[in-house]
Amino acid sequence: MVNEESFKKLVSHAKEYGYVFPSSEIYDGLSAVYDYGQYGVELKNNIKKYWWDSMVLVHENIVGLDSAIFMHPEVWKASGHVTQFNDPLIDNKDSKKRYRADSLIEDYLQKIVGKIDKEITKAAKRFGDDFDEETFRKTNPRVQANLKKREEINSRFIKALEDEDLPGIRQLIIDCDIADPVSGSRNWTEVRKFNLMFETKLGSVSEEANTIYLRPETAQGIFVNYLNVQKSGRMRIPFGIAQVGKAFRNEIVARQFLFRMREFEQMEMQFFVKPGDEIKWFEYWKEERMKWHLAMGINPDFYRFHEHDKLAHYANAAFDIEFKFPIGFKEIEGIHSRTDFDLSQHQKFSGKKLQYFDPLSKESYTPYVVETSIGLDRTFLAVLSNAYTEEKVPDANGNLEERIVLRIPAPLAPIKAAILPLVRKDGLDEKARRIIDNIKFDFNCQYDEKDSIGRRYRRQDAIGTPFCITVDHQTMEDDTVTIRYRDSMKQNRVPTANLNNIIIKETNIRSLLEKGVEGV
Ligand code: GAP
């Protein structure tokens, strides 16, 4: 279910509180490009660190890499991106809006699933404890008809995609009577292909200039460096290479905030394995990656696996992890078994051997690769949308007032603690400064002395600060402060000397990493 209203609120909160700004806003923005503000960049860095540490710190057989965005143009011929990295697009002749034809059909299929789910929810309510979903699915005529319809459309859809049958995709849109979601018009153009890579020129003299591409994924930088890393690091298979970096895609549908951007960041890990072992490792990484997401403490019902109906040209198994964004369940991460496709292609195109020599078995082979590929910006959006909460809470006089709070997991929060002198006199402000001077080397802190203490708490709630530390007159007598917890709003009095330990315990990324390893 798309929740437009709450999505709009989230976007405006993100801007008002320094998380995300439209790019070049004073020039009316640039479509599907965003800048991260002072809090956004901190949250993004913390997510990056959580991911990086979960790969490189926790696994002794995974190392990092930072490859360049520009790569030799042959890379993208070898990888298949020049010929295959296309979206089928269709225009509506009346509204002049452009859509991904495959997304229109996928949304239609999702609507059918929605109808089936509605029937099941209604029946579950009617029958109460006696409800047996499996039998209901098999016997209810309306559910059966919708299941059959979905199956028929889906198999036509997959066949058309596999055959790259663009007129067939258009016919499906006509047969399903799919209308332009904006105007309701059914006046469609032909379906055309559109390559998603951005081109630019290398060199300053135009005649000599070569066309190169902004990378559409970070993975290829890992593939072309795999032997460099393996040899220089004396890595033994199985091993992984992790990388975080920018990727660029000229997306057609670009109206979904951070979900679909033209410039975004990926966190990718390629795990090199012996041919034949790939499915075992694929299953392993599928589970590991889900644990990583769940360790952040987000409601598990907001995550689900989705198996690909149509495999990409390079894959022999592929699952997405989907997250329930305000715009519905959508892909946040892909786990792909990419076979030896990429390495074999690079061997072919470069003429260089990319084989691994196994010192134990004394055999050489081209490794297979299992990839985990997650969008940093989509993870940011998931954390932010899950954190955004509007609630009614009692004010100082016991009356209910609205508060907006970002319940960001404490280890990911941009500011860990705000230090607030109750009043700006009697030495309280100087004492607060001294506390900051002590803890600022360990955490991101903020000093705030303006307005009433209640308003200052609200400001910190709105940016998601997990702890507010108040310095009052008692502090001057016994060197204790109150610590207020963002989510429960409870307050404890603690010795100033204990602050570091308390905050470390609650905000260390280590706590997430340990949960991820143990499982949640
Ligand atoms: N190397 C494999 C690969 O790039 P992908 O499914 O195309 O696979 C991986 O992308 C992840 O990158 C996605 O799950 C998503 O989180 C993120 N991503 C892809 N396109 C994006 C876009 N236009 N804006 C934001 N994130 C995107």
Side-chain angles (χ1 to χ4, degrees):
M1 257 268 286
V2 178
N3 194 337
E4 294 276 353
E5 208 42 48
S6 69
F7 198 39
K8 268 193 204 149
K9 278 188 187 168
L10 184 72
V11 175
S12 85
H13 188 87
K15 183 174 163 221
E16 189 180 343
Y17 285 92
Y19 272 85
V20 183
F21 307 127
S23 159
S24 331
E25 199 192 2
I26 57 169
Y27 294 97
D28 295 334
L30 183 66
S31 169
V33 186
Y34 289 92
D35 297 337
Y36 287 85
Q38 64 275 30
Y39 300 123
V41 65
E42 297 290 347
L43 172 56
K44 205 174 167 197
N45 284 342
N46 292 341
I47 295 171
K48 239 187 259 188
K49 180 163 170 52
Y50 172 38
W51 182 86
W52 186 265
D53 287 356
S54 76
M55 291 293 173
V56 173
L57 208 70
V58 172
H59 297 93
E60 58 185 79
N61 60 348
I62 299 182
V63 292
L65 180 77
D66 183 15
S67 70
I69 287 172
F70 292 141
M71 300 184 76
H72 195 287
E74 285 297 300
V75 166
W76 306 109
K77 286 189 193 155
S79 67
H81 283 82
V82 171
T83 52
Q84 309 242 21
F85 196 54
N86 299 304
D87 276 348
L89 69 89
I90 192 164
D91 291 276
N92 187 279
K93 290 185 197 163
D94 297 325
S95 71
K96 311 275 182 256
K97 292 238 177 278
R98 179 166 289 175
Y99 297 95
R100 271 178 63 171
D102 55 337
S103 299
L104 287 177
I105 298 170
E106 277 163 8
D107 289 350
Y108 183 79
L109 289 168
Q110 202 50 45
K111 269 190 199 144
I112 302 178
V113 173
K115 280 187 191 162
I116 297 170
D117 289 347
K118 227 178 184 174
E119 291 285 352
I120 290 171
T121 315
K122 241 170 45 192
K125 250 193 204 153
R126 207 168 55 236
F127 293 115
D129 289 345
D130 297 334
F131 183 62
D132 173 1
E133 184 177 326
E134 210 182 315
T135 313
F136 184 78
R137 275 180 179 274
K138 282 190 195 143
T139 52
N140 181 279
R142 278 190 302 275
V143 170
Q144 279 291 303
N146 273 323
L147 281 171
K148 189 160 168 253
K149 187 171 166 190
R150 189 194 172 278
E151 187 50 47
E152 278 168 11
I153 296 168
N154 198 37
S155 49
R156 267 181 74 187
F157 178 44
I158 291 167
K159 180 151 184 2
L161 286 178
E162 277 169 357
D163 297 349
E164 299 196 12
D165 172 12
L166 301 183
I169 294 177
R170 180 176 190 272
Q171 196 53 47
L172 202 49
I173 290 176
I174 306 292
D175 292 349
C176 293
D177 204 25
I178 295 175
D180 177 342
V182 176
S183 68
S185 155
R186 291 172 172 77
N187 195 4
W188 295 110
T189 61
E190 298 306 309
V191 176
R192 281 169 297 132
K193 284 210 155 182
F194 178 79
N195 193 288
L196 298 182
M197 283 197 295
F198 283 103
E199 285 179 10
T200 186
K201 300 280 181 204
L202 191 71
S204 56
V205 186
S206 65
E207 296 94 287
E208 290 167 19
N210 282 320
T211 298
I212 56 165
Y213 302 97
L214 297 187
R215 68 180 177 198
E217 62 171 14
T218 60
Q220 297 303 324
I222 296 181
F223 289 125
V224 301
N225 276 299
Y226 119 88
L227 261 195
N228 284 338
V229 173
Q230 189 270 319
K231 288 196 169 140
S232 58
R234 295 167 42 242
M235 308 297 290
R236 291 257 182 103
I237 273 182
F239 72 91
I241 303 178
Q243 168 156 240
V244 180
K246 290 266 185 180
F248 304 83
R249 295 184 189 178
N250 200 0
E251 298 283 1
I252 308 160
V253 181
R255 290 182 287 269
Q256 295 158 321
F257 193 38
L258 304 181
F259 182 79
R260 203 176 295 287
M261 299 158 84
R262 295 199 164 113
E263 173 181 341
F264 58 99
E265 255 178 286
Q266 289 186 317
M267 305 188 284
E268 298 201 295
M269 193 278 296
Q270 314 293 324
F271 200 67
F272 298 86
V273 304
K274 200 169 172 192
D277 282 354
E278 72 275 13
I279 297 302
K280 179 182 87 187
W281 285 111
F282 174 76
E283 292 300 331
Y284 170 83
W285 281 110
K286 217 178 108 197
E287 298 312 317
E288 283 297 297
R289 293 305 305 145
M290 186 57 105
K291 279 192 221 159
W292 183 89
H293 286 275
L294 295 179
M296 286 188 279
I298 296 176
N299 183 350
D301 293 344
F302 278 37
Y303 288 98
R304 69 182 186 197
F305 281 117
H306 168 79
E307 186 171 7
H308 284 208
D309 288 327
K310 177 186 181 287
L311 291 174
H313 58 277
Y314 50 73
N316 72 356
F319 266 78
D320 290 339
I321 294 177
E322 292 187 336
F323 181 78
K324 194 174 175 193
F325 291 100
I327 49 171
F329 263 109
K330 304 257 179 209
E331 175 188 342
I332 188 167
E333 172 158 10
I335 297 115
H336 312 125
S337 172
R338 289 178 80 127
T339 66
D340 60 352
F341 174 83
D342 303 85
L343 291 182
S344 300
Q345 286 292 99
H346 288 308
Q347 288 190 98
K348 203 162 107 191
F349 277 71
S350 68
K352 308 272 173 9
K353 259 195 158 184
L354 295 178
Q355 291 215 316
Y356 169 78
F357 176 72
D358 187 333
L360 294 179
S361 67
K362 308 269 185 254
E363 50 173 345
S364 289
Y365 56 82
T366 308
Y368 271 39
V369 173
V370 174
E371 159 185 82
T372 72
S373 175
I374 175 171
L376 176 53
D377 312 85
R378 284 191 192 175
T379 309
F380 181 104
L381 181 58
V383 170
L384 196 68
S385 62
N386 181 71
Y388 182 89
T389 315
E390 289 173 4
E391 58 188 20
K392 292 250 190 288
V393 293
D395 67 10
N397 304 317
N399 301 319
L400 284 186
E401 64 166 6
E402 175 130 312
R403 83 157 176 163
I404 295 177
V405 53
L406 293 184
R407 295 177 186 273
I408 297 174
L412 302 180
I415 305 292
K416 304 299 188 217
I419 320 295
L420 318 170
L422 190 60
V423 288
R424 217 182 325 164
K425 56 181 186 185
D426 305 332
L428 300 193
D429 41 352
E430 283 128 37
K431 173 70 182 169
R433 288 273 183 212
R434 282 201 296 281
I435 293 176
I436 285 234
D437 283 343
N438 180 29
I439 63 175
K440 73 180 176 196
F441 295 102
D442 295 316
F443 321 101
N444 239 338
C445 317
Q446 210 169 64
Y447 175 83
D448 190 2
E449 59 177 22
K450 289 194 200 79
D451 300 322
S452 73
I453 193 75
R455 286 183 74 167
R456 281 182 269 168
Y457 285 157
R458 290 289 170 273
R459 270 205 293 272
Q460 294 300 331
D461 289 344
I463 60 169
T465 307
F467 305 108
C468 283
I469 291 149
T470 306
V471 175
D472 55 17
H473 288 98
Q474 194 178 327
T475 311
M476 307 309 278
E477 287 163 20
D478 61 8
D479 208 13
T480 62
V481 287
T482 63
I483 181 158
R484 172 200 182 258
Y485 293 83
R486 175 195 68 198
D487 297 345
S488 64
M489 298 195 303
K490 289 213 171 94
Q491 301 194 19
N492 281 344
R493 187 162 275 281
V494 299
T496 307
N498 293 359
L499 277 179
N500 266 37
N501 282 346
I502 294 172
I503 304 175
I504 283 183
K505 192 163 161 266
E506 303 270 350
T507 63
N508 206 321
I509 292 226
R510 182 190 171 119
S511 61
L512 297 184
L513 293 171
E514 281 173 347
K515 269 191 219 151
V517 170
E518 287 160 12
V520 226

